Amino acid sequence: YSENSEIFVTDLKNLLLAKNRLNLGKFDGDTCVTDNDLGKINSIFSDTEFDIEKDWDKLVSARTTARNIIDKLLDFARKRMYN
């Protein structure tokens, strides 16, 4: 990936968006429903300029943030399961 950051961004996009793995949604009234229109997300990736060597700190920060979110979601799920 260090030789071609564009490949990294494309692989990341494919991992996230294939079959809507993030289960991205939108509100329909008071209910959150799956949003299968991923065009908005695709446009964000197409406009992104990223260099893995220059932006390494951003990757580390994003990973830390993602781990914190996962930990909170798992904790919430455990509390719901045992209450």
Side-chain angles (χ1 to χ4, degrees):
Y1 289 128
S2 62
E3 293 177 18
N4 190 341
S5 297
E6 190 174 322
I7 293 173
F8 174 78
V9 172
T10 300
D11 286 351
L12 179 62
K13 179 180 80 168
N14 291 335
L15 282 170
L16 295 175
L17 298 179
K19 299 180 185 176
N20 197 4
R21 285 188 178 131
L22 286 179
N23 203 19
L24 299 172
K26 63 182 176 183
F27 279 98
D28 184 11
D30 291 336
T31 307
C32 186
V33 296
T34 300
D35 185 359
N36 291 317
D37 179 16
L38 303 177
K40 297 173 222 166
I41 304 300
N42 278 322
S43 68
I44 291 170
F45 275 99
S46 66
D47 294 338
T48 300
E49 290 191 25
F50 180 80
D51 183 315
I52 199 164
E53 291 181 10
K54 292 178 185 174
D55 297 326
W56 185 256
D57 290 337
K58 291 178 185 177
L59 283 176
V60 172
S61 177
R63 182 186 183 281
T64 302
T65 301
R67 290 296 309 166
N68 289 337
I69 291 169
I70 290 169
D71 290 345
K72 288 180 182 182
L73 289 173
L74 290 174
D75 187 48
F76 177 75
R78 282 188 213 111
K79 287 179 182 177
R80 282 187 65 194
M81 190 168 59
Y82 293 112
N83 287 333

